Amino acid sequence: MQTLSDLPALRAAVAALKADGKPLALVPTMGALHDGHMALVQEAKRHGRHVVVSIFVNPKQFGPTEDLDAYPRREAKDAAMLAAAGVDLLWLPPVEVMYPTGFATNVSVSGVSEGLDGAARPGHFDGVATVVTKLFNQVRPDVAIFGEKDYQQLAVIRQANSDLDIGIDIIGLPTQRAEDGLALSSRNAYLSEAERKAALALPRALGEAKRLMEKGESVESATSKALIMLENHGFGPIDYVTLCDAVTLEPMTVLDRPARLLGAAKLGKTRLIDNIAVEPV
């Protein structure tokens, strides 16, 4: 596996990989890799003959009070995991390569970026859309793989890819979970042992709300019960538990089309997110 940190070297290496005409897949990450990321890598290998993984902790998607400085970084361990998985190239750019002096462009996606995390984390999705657009232009993959755990992020990226005619095939991989059902996340490392057990209330609350809605209970009643369950397990503040259209992410008050139930809340100092598909009866 090649590990590169400057753009001309990346361009040359990608050109060499693509010389055989076979598809190249990109997996963008912020590092601190876990089994969920490695599932993305395996999915990338199914769609591309060559696989590039990027690791970049993107400062533009962190708010001023968020965990940019504390975000886990372990590049050597990550690189060893990727090499063992058969990744061809690790793109590891420093901040000055991604955002050189004078950088002045911002990619902003309206609609799907509004509400949910867009409301709870102002500017977050501008940072996501900007860095992913840059990664797409740097690596120029044929396909890119993202996890559905960050469901709104995936919708934003798909919208930008379509609107800007980037032309990459965007693949969403279903949320990868621990055996007990908690969505895998690099931020799970922040949880204490007691918080890790309490965190299971998030997927369980969403699952119970899904069950109630699919049995015919109102959206308002089912989501209210989910909120109470989260509060009872120590979550707070709770940013949202909201049923949304599965494509547009417009909030829904009646389950009359394919939907996603999305939740985000803090447990201690850790902010957790999750989502689950909900189908009309």
Side-chain angles (χ1 to χ4, degrees), residues 44-87:
K45 292 174 74 173
R46 285 189 279 273
H47 292 274
R49 172 62 180 83
H50 310 289
V51 175
V52 176
V53 175
S54 64
I55 294 178
F56 180 66
V57 181
N58 176 33
K60 287 190 176 293
Q61 68 190 69
F62 288 79
T65 63
E66 294 183 341
D67 59 341
L68 174 60
D69 292 337
Y71 195 85
R73 293 164 170 85
R74 53 183 200 203
E75 292 171 359
K77 182 177 180 181
D78 290 347
M81 291 170 66
L82 295 172
V87 169

Side-chain angles (χ1 to χ4, degrees), residues 2-233:
Q2 299 179 77
T3 300
L4 301 174
S5 297
D6 84 55
L7 194 53
L10 174 73
R11 298 274 199 212
V14 167
L17 286 175
K18 297 182 77 172
D20 63 3
K22 301 293 177 63
L24 183 146
L26 170 67
V27 181
T29 83
M30 292 206 302
L33 304 182
H34 50 65
D35 287 348
H37 293 108
M38 303 317 293
L40 296 175
V41 170
Q42 295 306 314
E43 185 70 11
K45 292 174 74 173
R46 285 189 279 273
H47 292 274
R49 172 62 180 83
H50 310 289
V51 175
V52 176
V53 175
S54 64
I55 294 178
F56 180 66
V57 181
N58 176 33
K60 287 190 176 293
Q61 68 190 69
F62 288 79
T65 63
E66 294 183 341
D67 59 341
L68 174 60
D69 292 337
Y71 195 85
R73 293 164 170 85
R74 53 183 200 203
E75 292 171 359
K77 182 177 180 181
D78 290 347
M81 291 170 66
L82 295 172
V87 169
D88 296 279
L89 194 158
L90 170 58
W91 174 225
L92 199 63
V95 172
E96 58 268 24
V97 167
M98 293 300 286
Y99 303 118
T101 301
F103 185 87
T105 299
N106 187 59
V107 179
S108 182
V109 179
S110 59
V112 293
S113 70
E114 299 163 8
L116 303 172
D117 266 26
R121 305 177 67 188
H124 170 69
F125 286 121
D126 286 2
V128 169
T130 300
V131 77
V132 171
T133 300
K134 282 186 66 75
L135 289 168
F136 286 171
N137 285 330
Q138 291 167 345
V139 178
R140 297 176 185 171
D142 301 288
V143 59
I145 315 296
F146 297 88
E148 288 187 354
K149 181 182 77 71
D150 298 286
Y151 194 80
Q152 188 176 16
Q153 171 181 279
L154 178 58
V156 168
I157 291 165
R158 282 177 165 151
Q159 188 73 48
N161 182 61
S162 175
D163 289 349
L164 299 177
D165 301 317
I166 297 173
I168 292 169
D169 188 12
I170 307 295
I171 303 294
L173 187 69
T175 301
Q176 303 296 296
R177 300 184 180 275
E179 288 186 6
D180 58 10
L182 186 67
L184 298 179
S185 170
S186 298
R187 287 188 170 96
N188 290 351
Y190 298 159
L191 298 169
S192 69
E193 185 176 346
E195 288 171 342
R196 176 62 181 76
K197 293 177 181 176
L200 294 175
L202 180 55
R204 289 172 180 171
L206 297 182
E208 177 62 9
K210 165 190 168 80
R211 186 186 71 81
L212 293 173
M213 285 186 280
E214 290 182 344
K215 281 183 62 179
E217 188 159 331
S218 73
V219 171
E220 181 180 5
S221 174
T223 54
S224 294
K225 290 176 180 177
L227 290 169
I228 292 169
M229 183 174 176
L230 293 178
E231 290 170 352
N232 289 341
H233 283 81

Side-chain angles (χ1 to χ4, degrees), residues 229-249:
M229 183 174 176
L230 293 178
E231 290 170 352
N232 289 341
H233 283 81
F235 280 84
I238 300 170
D239 287 333
Y240 56 82
V241 174
T242 306
L243 188 73
C244 296
D245 183 283
V247 177
T248 67
L249 293 185

